[in-house]
Amino acid sequence: MLTLANIFTKSCQTQQIKDNFPFCFCCDMLVGTSPLNHSWREKRVGMTILQLPKSIQGIVVDLDRTLYPRSEGDPYLADSAERSMPFLGERLGMSIEDAELLAEVKRQEWIAQEGRRPVFAELLDSLGIDPLSWYPIRARCCHPEKFISPNPNLRKVLIRTRAMVRVAILTNAPQVVAHRVLHCIGVADLGFPVCSPDAFRSFKPQQQAFHAAATALELEGEHLVAIGDRLATDCEAALAAGYGGAVHVKGPEDVIAFIRTVLFTR
């Protein structure tokens, strides 16, 4: 993995472009790429580019904590998080305390076997509970309008982006909640398809979810780049599903930076 410390020690001639991101003008690509397949893993400030395809025809973007900052997302998501264990206990006929203990045991088992924490839908599925049964409750207890603010800069960038490549939103949030969040951000009217579990009956990190997004864009996965805040769930799972690229970000500023310094320079 390239880091900021060694990006500037590359042998090729580098210069600085807009937003202070290194660019190699002698081979016309971002520093750290392979001249053969444009595949690399590069760390820059808040984002990590795991891999990029030669031809980017579409991007599949995560929603929560990706298109809005964590500072807004944590209080917004806290409401549903507080309801998750009471829901689990009710479905399993046990106390909230016992549900929390069982959930933690399952999480530790998952970490030992998969090397990552399961998303809540996976946890429910492993306990024999239909993940979609949780969605009506999450939709009722989520109030993004209280916490998430419009992002004019992101809107401007995405308007330009949709003229260059196709864009889809891939989320584990219920469809109705996803649209409310996009409205809060100020991009709901841009017409991006929203791929959610209640629409496609699959959730990240399942490969079917990424295939559904590719189908919605009418593109092959090899020409798509997944962008998200969870390395395993949003990025590595996308690559395993056949996507040509993936970018791990920490919020909307990283999304903007990636689009400006990669898509807008191609």
Side-chain angles (χ1 to χ4, degrees), residues 99-121:
E100 290 174 342
L101 288 173
L102 176 60
E104 186 57 29
V105 169
K106 286 291 185 179
R107 289 190 187 102
Q108 294 304 319
E109 290 177 352
W110 204 283
I111 292 171
Q113 295 174 7
E114 304 290 337
R116 62 174 178 83
R117 291 173 64 87
V119 299
F120 191 57

Side-chain angles (χ1 to χ4, degrees), residues 199-240:
F200 296 96
R201 296 200 66 83
S202 60
F203 51 84
K204 295 181 290 183
Q206 293 177 338
Q207 292 190 12
Q208 303 97 297
F210 295 96
H211 295 162
T215 299
L217 293 178
E218 299 182 339
L219 291 172
E220 297 295 326
E222 63 185 284
H223 300 300
L224 295 174
V225 175
I227 304 174
D229 71 301
R230 293 173 295 181
L231 181 62
T233 302
D234 296 318
C235 302
E236 293 175 345
L239 296 177

Side-chain angles (χ1 to χ4, degrees), residues 125-143:
D125 195 45
S126 70
L127 293 170
I129 301 172
D130 181 0
L132 295 186
S133 65
W134 158 246
Y135 276 39
I137 297 175
R138 180 175 177 184
R140 289 196 301 269
C141 68
C142 282
H143 303 286

Side-chain angles (χ1 to χ4, degrees), residues 47-52 225-229 235 245-249 258:
M47 69 170 147
T48 303
I49 301 175
L50 280 71
Q51 179 176 305
L52 288 184
V225 175
I227 304 174
D229 71 301
C235 302
V247 182
H248 182 217
V249 300
F258 168 74

Side-chain angles (χ1 to χ4, degrees), residues 54-67:
K54 293 180 180 179
S55 171
I56 301 177
Q57 298 179 13
I59 58 174
V60 175
V61 189
D62 175 51
L63 179 59
D64 290 323
R65 296 191 177 105
T66 295
L67 290 183

Side-chain angles (χ1 to χ4, degrees), residues 115-192:
R116 62 174 178 83
R117 291 173 64 87
V119 299
F120 191 57
E122 289 176 310
L123 178 63
L124 293 177
D125 195 45
S126 70
L127 293 170
I129 301 172
D130 181 0
L132 295 186
S133 65
W134 158 246
Y135 276 39
I137 297 175
R138 180 175 177 184
R140 289 196 301 269
C141 68
C142 282
H143 303 286
E145 298 82 4
K146 293 182 178 179
F147 305 104
I148 299 177
S149 306
N151 190 329
N153 290 333
L154 179 63
R155 176 180 173 83
K156 291 178 182 177
V157 166
L158 289 178
I159 288 174
R160 183 178 172 188
T161 300
R162 68 176 181 176
M164 303 173 62
V165 299
R166 300 176 188 177
V167 181
I169 308 298
L170 179 58
T171 178
N172 280 349
Q175 184 87 189
V176 63
V177 174
H179 281 286
R180 287 166 60 193
V181 171
L182 291 173
H183 180 76
C184 293
I185 298 169
V187 299
D189 62 323
L190 299 186
F192 302 140

